[in-house]
Amino acid sequence: MTSLHRYIAEEIAADHVDGLLTRREALRRLALLGVNAATAAALITACATRRESATTPATSGSAPSSGGAVAPPGMANALPTQPITWPGPQGTLQAAWAQAPNSRGAVLVIHENKGLTDWVRSVAGRLAGAGFSALAIDLLSEQGGTAAFRDPAQATAALGTIAPAQFMHDLDSGVAQLRVRAPGQKVAVVGFCFGGGLVWQLLNAGGFGVSAAVPFYGPLPDNPDFHGAKAAVLAIYGALDARVTGSQAAAKAALQGAGLPNEVVIEPGADHAFFNDTGPRYHATAAADAWQRTLDWLGRYLS
């Protein structure tokens, strides 16, 4: 099991522990990933143990907030996206593209383990509204695209079958496509959850042509080595997300060891996926802070 495959399985188990999936549905989704019943039970137990540790009085924080009628950060100025395709290394690649007027840089947006959803498109539109042209790539393109999967669990399972090398080839192609659409501009990558993990993987592979990176609560590769990368990295975590945030010290050490400009932010009171305003763990305060930090970081290293 690759590190990303294991991470997807752990996300499903964590969703069950947090009451977002029934045990039956969690086991169904894990089976789609090829995880047997015994391993699935062990994953669920491990996630429950981590959750108990994360919610002790010493580490718990304010409750998540939907923000009421307040729009998600950046939404007020979001621009529309348009679907685009281009020839990738292993077939046609699909994405949502948002062109910023007077663009100050270009951003590759990497989705969660559900594929290219409307929420991910909205992030690209929000970045464009803030002055950064953005391309949200669909990493299920070679499987027909995210829209080809009626069952989100099947889309997640399909991502779990893709070789890490293919992800890297597709992401490199996405960076190249940004250079075509935003000539002369510096490029950043921003990813969420599974996509945050792929940001780390891209940096681990050298991150060719990437000047800035913002992984949101992404799992760190085993034995990370970022010496080939040139990007300035802003790593964002949630304080209650023990499963992923536990790797932040190792991430910091690897970034420092590679001599990369970096900052690690742990949002108090926030859990995994706190930036996704369509999900149950959305935390409005943490999302607003993380959004502003992201824009400041992109402005510093892309402009």
Side-chain angles (χ1 to χ4, degrees), residues 85-113:
T85 61
W86 71 93
Q90 301 181 67
T92 300
L93 288 173
Q94 305 174 31
W97 165 248
Q99 172 71 56
N102 304 313
S103 182
R104 297 187 288 142
V107 183
L108 181 67
V109 181
I110 311 177
H111 56 67
E112 300 172 322
N113 70 13

Side-chain angles (χ1 to χ4, degrees), residues 100 102-109 127-128 130-135 175 178-179 182-190 207 209-214 230-234 261 293-303:
N102 304 313
S103 182
R104 297 187 288 142
V107 183
L108 181 67
V109 181
L127 285 166
F132 303 98
S133 296
L135 185 152
V175 171
L178 280 172
R179 294 196 174 282
Q185 297 186 20
K186 293 181 179 179
V187 174
V189 289
V190 176
V210 175
S211 297
V214 186
K230 304 293 185 184
V233 182
L234 171 66
R293 289 176 183 271
T294 297
L295 296 184
D296 291 346
W297 197 260
L298 297 178
R300 184 184 312 171
Y301 292 102
L302 294 189
S303 300

Side-chain angles (χ1 to χ4, degrees), residues 7 50 59 196 200 215-221 224 226 233-257 260 262-268 270 272 274:
Y7 171 76
R50 278 194 295 265
T59 58
W200 288 123
F216 275 73
Y217 30 78
L220 196 66
F226 302 134
V233 182
L234 171 66
I236 298 177
Y237 299 91
L240 304 186
D241 184 14
R243 182 169 55 96
V244 176
T245 305
S247 66
Q248 58 89 17
K252 182 73 173 181
L255 292 168
Q256 294 287 94
L260 298 179
N262 69 88
E263 183 177 348
V264 173
V265 174
I266 302 176
E267 294 288 353
H272 189 67
F274 71 78

Side-chain angles (χ1 to χ4, degrees), residues 7-190:
Y7 171 76
I8 292 175
E10 289 175 346
E11 281 210 315
I12 294 170
D15 283 350
H16 165 62
V17 169
D18 288 351
L20 306 180
L21 295 174
T22 65
R23 186 178 182 88
R24 180 176 180 178
E25 178 61 15
L27 292 175
R28 181 183 80 88
R29 296 188 181 198
L30 289 168
L32 288 173
L33 279 173
V35 179
N36 63 40
T39 303
L43 278 173
I44 290 171
T45 298
C47 284
T49 300
R50 278 194 295 265
R51 172 56 73 200
E52 289 174 4
S53 174
T55 54
T56 59
T59 58
S60 61
S62 59
S65 168
S66 66
V70 178
M75 193 65 79
N77 298 316
L79 297 178
T81 64
Q82 61 176 336
I84 64 167
T85 61
W86 71 93
Q90 301 181 67
T92 300
L93 288 173
Q94 305 174 31
W97 165 248
Q99 172 71 56
N102 304 313
S103 182
R104 297 187 288 142
V107 183
L108 181 67
V109 181
I110 311 177
H111 56 67
E112 300 172 322
N113 70 13
K114 298 177 179 63
L116 182 57
T117 62
D118 286 342
W119 176 76
V120 181
R121 293 184 182 91
S122 84
V123 174
R126 287 185 253 174
L127 285 166
F132 303 98
S133 296
L135 185 152
I137 192 169
D138 189 343
L139 292 172
L140 286 167
S141 293
E142 289 92 340
Q143 286 69 36
T146 301
F149 295 87
R150 293 187 177 182
D151 180 358
Q154 291 282 3
T156 299
L159 284 168
T161 67
I162 297 173
Q166 180 178 323
F167 287 136
M168 294 303 100
H169 293 320
D170 288 351
L171 294 175
D172 285 339
S173 184
V175 171
Q177 181 65 198
L178 280 172
R179 294 196 174 282
V180 171
R181 292 179 173 271
Q185 297 186 20
K186 293 181 179 179
V187 174
V189 289
V190 176

